Amino acid sequence: VISAFSDSDWGSDIQDRKSQAGWAIFYRNAVIGWKSKKLPTISLSTAAAEYSALSLLGTELEALHFVLRDCENQQLLRVPMPVGVDNNAAIAITSNSGYVSQVKNIDMKIFYARQLQDTNMIKVQYVKSSDNTADIFTKALTKFLHKKHAENLLGQPLTTLCSTDTYETARGDDTALDSV
């Protein structure tokens, strides 16, 4: 019933090469939490940036888990919370301790996500980038993907919130983004 997505855009800031991380948490189909944050350190690989974003999300999911436990909502605690990640290396690092020697550049604190998976609090799984709602927080998207992810976050079509003309005016002319 609770699911989440995390994403990062590796080294996207051209001033300091720090990555942008983002995540979204859903209860059924309604977003209950989201964040976009510039990572505090420079990631030396895409996997490190994605894994850092996953670890940030993990802290939020653990806090949510404790709130649900304190509310004695055992139904929501029975299954691991599925977490969509669009980076196979980050998923492999979470699932396989053999990857430790290959990614020594990743700080030890981010192995937190593996602990959450090992204790069945979360279940990290692959999701196509085009289906990763957290992408909206980390990078420029085509008009189609922006609308798709915005509608996922809002839980309803954008046209029910405002007219198409209003949406287009608010977004500006993003025809350049359609070719990205």
Side-chain angles (χ1 to χ4, degrees):
V1 178
I2 293 177
S3 61
F5 297 92
S6 75
D7 190 47
S8 75
D9 192 12
W10 180 43
S12 59
D13 189 320
I14 59 172
Q15 300 297 319
D16 60 11
R17 295 318 240 173
K18 291 181 180 175
S19 302
Q20 187 72 24
W23 54 258
I25 302 171
F26 293 85
Y27 173 69
R28 299 192 183 188
N29 290 327
V31 67
I32 59 172
W34 62 270
K35 186 169 197 162
S36 178
K37 178 182 180 175
K38 186 176 183 179
L39 295 175
T41 58
I42 297 170
S43 300
L44 299 179
S45 67
T46 304
E50 293 277 352
Y51 203 75
S52 294
L54 177 59
S55 294
L56 286 172
L57 171 61
T59 61
E60 297 297 324
L61 290 175
E62 185 175 39
L64 178 59
H65 177 85
F66 290 130
V67 167
L68 293 172
R69 187 190 67 192
D70 290 347
C71 294
E72 298 181 4
N73 193 333
Q74 297 302 317
Q75 181 182 5
L76 292 176
L77 298 176
R78 285 193 189 128
V79 291
M81 295 178 245
V83 176
V85 177
D86 60 7
N87 183 277
N88 284 318
I91 295 168
I93 292 167
T94 305
S95 303
N96 182 353
S97 60
Y99 272 80
V100 174
S101 62
Q102 298 176 28
V103 289
K104 288 182 180 177
N105 59 308
I106 299 177
D107 189 51
M108 291 301 293
K109 69 181 179 182
I110 64 174
F111 284 91
Y112 174 68
R114 181 180 299 154
Q115 177 183 332
L116 294 178
Q117 180 150 298
D118 289 346
T119 59
N120 286 325
M121 191 175 297
I122 66 171
K123 174 67 176 147
V124 179
Q125 54 198 26
Y126 180 77
V127 63
K128 293 187 306 186
S129 189
S130 61
D131 293 330
N132 190 343
T133 301
D135 271 5
I136 199 169
F137 302 121
T138 61
K139 58 186 67 81
L141 299 171
T142 64
K143 184 177 172 180
F144 171 79
L145 285 177
H146 183 274
K147 183 177 182 203
K148 175 183 175 181
H149 295 321
E151 289 177 345
N152 283 345
L153 289 171
L154 296 169
Q156 58 185 318
L158 289 174
T159 55
T160 62
L161 298 172
C162 58
S163 71
T164 306
D165 293 339
T166 305
Y167 176 70
E168 296 299 326
T169 304
R171 290 275 333 273
D173 180 20
D174 66 356
T175 52
L177 292 179
D178 286 334
S179 62
V180 175

Short mmCIF file of all heavy atoms in Angstrom, two decimals, residues 144-176:
data_model
loop_
_atom_site.label_atom_id
_atom_site.label_comp_id
_atom_site.label_asym_id
_atom_site.label_seq_id
_atom_site.Cartn_x
_atom_site.Cartn_y
_atom_site.Cartn_z
N PHE A 144 5.84 15.53 -22.16
CA PHE A 144 5.03 14.35 -21.87
C PHE A 144 5.39 13.76 -20.50
O PHE A 144 4.51 13.48 -19.69
CB PHE A 144 5.23 13.29 -22.96
CG PHE A 144 4.60 11.97 -22.62
CD1 PHE A 144 3.23 11.79 -22.76
CD2 PHE A 144 5.37 10.93 -22.13
CE1 PHE A 144 2.64 10.57 -22.42
CE2 PHE A 144 4.79 9.71 -21.79
CZ PHE A 144 3.42 9.54 -21.94
N LEU A 145 6.71 13.56 -20.22
CA LEU A 145 7.11 12.97 -18.95
C LEU A 145 6.83 13.89 -17.77
O LEU A 145 6.44 13.44 -16.70
CB LEU A 145 8.59 12.57 -18.98
CG LEU A 145 8.91 11.32 -19.78
CD1 LEU A 145 10.41 11.07 -19.81
CD2 LEU A 145 8.18 10.12 -19.23
N HIS A 146 7.01 15.19 -17.98
CA HIS A 146 6.71 16.13 -16.89
C HIS A 146 5.24 16.03 -16.51
O HIS A 146 4.88 15.95 -15.34
CB HIS A 146 7.08 17.56 -17.28
CG HIS A 146 6.86 18.52 -16.18
ND1 HIS A 146 5.65 19.11 -15.95
CD2 HIS A 146 7.69 18.96 -15.20
CE1 HIS A 146 5.74 19.90 -14.89
NE2 HIS A 146 6.96 19.82 -14.42
N LYS A 147 4.38 16.04 -17.51
CA LYS A 147 2.94 15.95 -17.25
C LYS A 147 2.60 14.62 -16.59
O LYS A 147 1.83 14.57 -15.62
CB LYS A 147 2.16 16.13 -18.56
CG LYS A 147 0.67 16.13 -18.34
CD LYS A 147 -0.09 16.40 -19.65
CE LYS A 147 -1.57 16.43 -19.35
NZ LYS A 147 -2.38 16.15 -20.48
N LYS A 148 3.15 13.53 -17.09
CA LYS A 148 2.90 12.20 -16.53
C LYS A 148 3.28 12.14 -15.06
O LYS A 148 2.50 11.68 -14.22
CB LYS A 148 3.69 11.16 -17.32
CG LYS A 148 3.61 9.75 -16.77
CD LYS A 148 4.49 8.81 -17.56
CE LYS A 148 4.51 7.42 -16.94
NZ LYS A 148 5.38 6.52 -17.71
N HIS A 149 4.48 12.61 -14.72
CA HIS A 149 4.94 12.54 -13.33
C HIS A 149 4.19 13.53 -12.44
O HIS A 149 3.89 13.21 -11.28
CB HIS A 149 6.45 12.77 -13.25
CG HIS A 149 7.25 11.69 -13.93
ND1 HIS A 149 6.91 10.35 -13.87
CD2 HIS A 149 8.37 11.76 -14.67
CE1 HIS A 149 7.79 9.64 -14.55
NE2 HIS A 149 8.68 10.47 -15.05
N ALA A 150 3.85 14.70 -12.96
CA ALA A 150 3.07 15.66 -12.18
C ALA A 150 1.69 15.08 -11.86
O ALA A 150 1.20 15.20 -10.74
CB ALA A 150 2.94 16.98 -12.93
N GLU A 151 1.09 14.43 -12.83
CA GLU A 151 -0.21 13.80 -12.60
C GLU A 151 -0.11 12.66 -11.59
O GLU A 151 -1.00 12.47 -10.77
CB GLU A 151 -0.82 13.33 -13.92
CG GLU A 151 -1.27 14.50 -14.79
CD GLU A 151 -1.82 14.08 -16.14
OE1 GLU A 151 -1.62 12.92 -16.57
OE2 GLU A 151 -2.45 14.94 -16.78
N ASN A 152 0.99 11.90 -11.64
CA ASN A 152 1.19 10.84 -10.64
C ASN A 152 1.28 11.44 -9.24
O ASN A 152 0.71 10.91 -8.29
CB ASN A 152 2.46 10.05 -10.94
CG ASN A 152 2.29 9.08 -12.07
OD1 ASN A 152 1.18 8.77 -12.48
ND2 ASN A 152 3.39 8.59 -12.59
N LEU A 153 2.00 12.54 -9.11
CA LEU A 153 2.14 13.17 -7.80
C LEU A 153 0.82 13.74 -7.30
O LEU A 153 0.50 13.64 -6.11
CB LEU A 153 3.19 14.29 -7.85
CG LEU A 153 4.63 13.84 -7.97
CD1 LEU A 153 5.53 15.03 -8.24
CD2 LEU A 153 5.08 13.11 -6.71
N LEU A 154 0.06 14.33 -8.20
CA LEU A 154 -1.19 14.96 -7.81
C LEU A 154 -2.35 13.97 -7.68
O LEU A 154 -3.37 14.28 -7.08
CB LEU A 154 -1.56 16.05 -8.81
CG LEU A 154 -0.57 17.21 -8.87
CD1 LEU A 154 -0.88 18.10 -10.07
CD2 LEU A 154 -0.60 18.00 -7.58
N GLY A 155 -2.18 12.81 -8.28
CA GLY A 155 -3.24 11.80 -8.22
C GLY A 155 -4.42 12.08 -9.10
O GLY A 155 -5.48 11.49 -8.94
N GLN A 156 -4.25 13.02 -10.03
CA GLN A 156 -5.34 13.34 -10.95
C GLN A 156 -4.77 14.07 -12.17
O GLN A 156 -3.66 14.60 -12.11
CB GLN A 156 -6.38 14.21 -10.28
CG GLN A 156 -5.85 15.53 -9.73
CD GLN A 156 -6.92 16.29 -8.97
OE1 GLN A 156 -8.04 16.34 -9.40
NE2 GLN A 156 -6.54 16.86 -7.85
N PRO A 157 -5.51 14.06 -13.26
CA PRO A 157 -5.03 14.76 -14.45
C PRO A 157 -4.88 16.26 -14.21
O PRO A 157 -5.66 16.86 -13.46
CB PRO A 157 -6.12 14.49 -15.49
CG PRO A 157 -6.86 13.31 -15.00
CD PRO A 157 -6.76 13.35 -13.50
N LEU A 158 -3.87 16.84 -14.81
CA LEU A 158 -3.65 18.28 -14.65
C LEU A 158 -4.82 19.09 -15.18
O LEU A 158 -5.11 20.17 -14.68
CB LEU A 158 -2.37 18.71 -15.35
CG LEU A 158 -1.08 18.25 -14.69
CD1 LEU A 158 0.11 18.62 -15.57
CD2 LEU A 158 -0.92 18.86 -13.32
N THR A 159 -5.51 18.56 -16.17
CA THR A 159 -6.62 19.31 -16.76
C THR A 159 -7.77 19.50 -15.78
O THR A 159 -8.58 20.40 -15.94
CB THR A 159 -7.14 18.62 -18.03
OG1 THR A 159 -7.47 17.27 -17.71
CG2 THR A 159 -6.09 18.67 -19.13
N THR A 160 -7.86 18.66 -14.74
CA THR A 160 -8.92 18.85 -13.74
C THR A 160 -8.56 19.98 -12.78
O THR A 160 -9.42 20.52 -12.10
CB THR A 160 -9.19 17.58 -12.93
OG1 THR A 160 -8.01 17.23 -12.22
CG2 THR A 160 -9.64 16.44 -13.83
N LEU A 161 -7.29 20.33 -12.72
CA LEU A 161 -6.85 21.39 -11.82
C LEU A 161 -6.83 22.75 -12.50
O LEU A 161 -7.03 23.77 -11.87
CB LEU A 161 -5.44 21.08 -11.29
CG LEU A 161 -5.33 19.81 -10.47
CD1 LEU A 161 -3.87 19.52 -10.16
CD2 LEU A 161 -6.13 19.93 -9.19
N CYS A 162 -6.53 22.75 -13.78
CA CYS A 162 -6.50 24.01 -14.53
C CYS A 162 -6.68 23.68 -16.00
O CYS A 162 -6.48 22.56 -16.43
CB CYS A 162 -5.17 24.74 -14.30
SG CYS A 162 -3.70 23.81 -14.77
N SER A 163 -7.03 24.66 -16.77
CA SER A 163 -7.22 24.43 -18.19
C SER A 163 -5.87 24.15 -18.84
O SER A 163 -4.83 24.50 -18.31
CB SER A 163 -7.86 25.65 -18.85
OG SER A 163 -6.94 26.71 -18.91
N THR A 164 -5.89 23.51 -19.98
CA THR A 164 -4.66 23.21 -20.69
C THR A 164 -3.91 24.50 -21.02
O THR A 164 -2.69 24.56 -20.92
CB THR A 164 -4.96 22.43 -21.99
OG1 THR A 164 -5.73 21.29 -21.63
CG2 THR A 164 -3.70 22.02 -22.69
N ASP A 165 -4.63 25.56 -21.40
CA ASP A 165 -3.98 26.84 -21.71
C ASP A 165 -3.25 27.39 -20.49
O ASP A 165 -2.13 27.87 -20.60
CB ASP A 165 -4.99 27.87 -22.21
CG ASP A 165 -5.59 27.49 -23.56
OD1 ASP A 165 -4.95 26.69 -24.27
OD2 ASP A 165 -6.68 27.98 -23.87
N THR A 166 -3.87 27.30 -19.33
CA THR A 166 -3.24 27.79 -18.10
C THR A 166 -1.99 26.98 -17.81
O THR A 166 -0.95 27.52 -17.46
CB THR A 166 -4.22 27.68 -16.91
OG1 THR A 166 -5.41 28.38 -17.24
CG2 THR A 166 -3.61 28.24 -15.65
N TYR A 167 -2.06 25.67 -17.98
CA TYR A 167 -0.91 24.80 -17.74
C TYR A 167 0.23 25.16 -18.68
O TYR A 167 1.36 25.30 -18.27
CB TYR A 167 -1.31 23.33 -17.91
CG TYR A 167 -0.15 22.38 -17.77
CD1 TYR A 167 0.45 22.19 -16.53
CD2 TYR A 167 0.35 21.70 -18.86
CE1 TYR A 167 1.52 21.33 -16.40
CE2 TYR A 167 1.41 20.84 -18.74
CZ TYR A 167 1.99 20.66 -17.50
OH TYR A 167 3.06 19.81 -17.37
N GLU A 168 -0.08 25.34 -19.96
CA GLU A 168 0.95 25.69 -20.94
C GLU A 168 1.58 27.03 -20.61
O GLU A 168 2.79 27.20 -20.69
CB GLU A 168 0.37 25.72 -22.36
CG GLU A 168 -0.15 24.39 -22.85
CD GLU A 168 0.92 23.32 -22.91
OE1 GLU A 168 2.08 23.65 -23.19
OE2 GLU A 168 0.60 22.15 -22.65
N THR A 169 0.78 28.02 -20.21
CA THR A 169 1.30 29.34 -19.87
C THR A 169 2.18 29.26 -18.63
O THR A 169 3.26 29.85 -18.58
CB THR A 169 0.14 30.34 -19.63
OG1 THR A 169 -0.68 30.35 -20.79
CG2 THR A 169 0.66 31.72 -19.33
N ALA A 170 1.74 28.51 -17.63
CA ALA A 170 2.51 28.39 -16.39
C ALA A 170 3.85 27.70 -16.64
O ALA A 170 4.86 28.04 -16.05
CB ALA A 170 1.71 27.61 -15.35
N ARG A 171 3.87 26.73 -17.54
CA ARG A 171 5.09 26.00 -17.84
C ARG A 171 6.00 26.79 -18.77
O ARG A 171 7.20 26.59 -18.80
CB ARG A 171 4.76 24.67 -18.52
CG ARG A 171 4.10 23.63 -17.67
CD ARG A 171 5.06 22.77 -16.86
NE ARG A 171 6.37 22.58 -17.38
CZ ARG A 171 6.75 21.64 -18.23
NH1 ARG A 171 5.90 20.78 -18.70
NH2 ARG A 171 8.00 21.54 -18.60
N GLY A 172 5.43 27.65 -19.58
CA GLY A 172 6.23 28.36 -20.58
C GLY A 172 6.41 27.51 -21.81
O GLY A 172 5.92 26.40 -21.91
N ASP A 173 7.15 28.02 -22.76
CA ASP A 173 7.39 27.28 -23.99
C ASP A 173 8.51 26.29 -23.75
O ASP A 173 9.66 26.68 -23.64
CB ASP A 173 7.75 28.23 -25.12
CG ASP A 173 8.01 27.49 -26.43
OD1 ASP A 173 7.57 26.36 -26.58
OD2 ASP A 173 8.69 28.09 -27.28
N ASP A 174 8.19 25.00 -23.64
CA ASP A 174 9.23 24.02 -23.37
C ASP A 174 9.49 23.11 -24.58
O ASP A 174 9.85 21.96 -24.43
CB ASP A 174 8.90 23.19 -22.14
CG ASP A 174 7.69 22.31 -22.31
OD1 ASP A 174 7.02 22.35 -23.34
OD2 ASP A 174 7.44 21.54 -21.38
N THR A 175 9.31 23.64 -25.76
CA THR A 175 9.55 22.83 -26.95
C THR A 175 10.99 22.38 -27.00
O THR A 175 11.29 21.31 -27.52
CB THR A 175 9.20 23.60 -28.24
OG1 THR A 175 9.88 24.86 -28.22
CG2 THR A 175 7.71 23.82 -28.35
N ALA A 176 11.91 23.15 -26.42
CA ALA A 176 13.31 22.73 -26.39
C ALA A 176 13.47 21.47 -25.56
O ALA A 176 14.31 20.62 -25.83
CB ALA A 176 14.19 23.85 -25.83
#
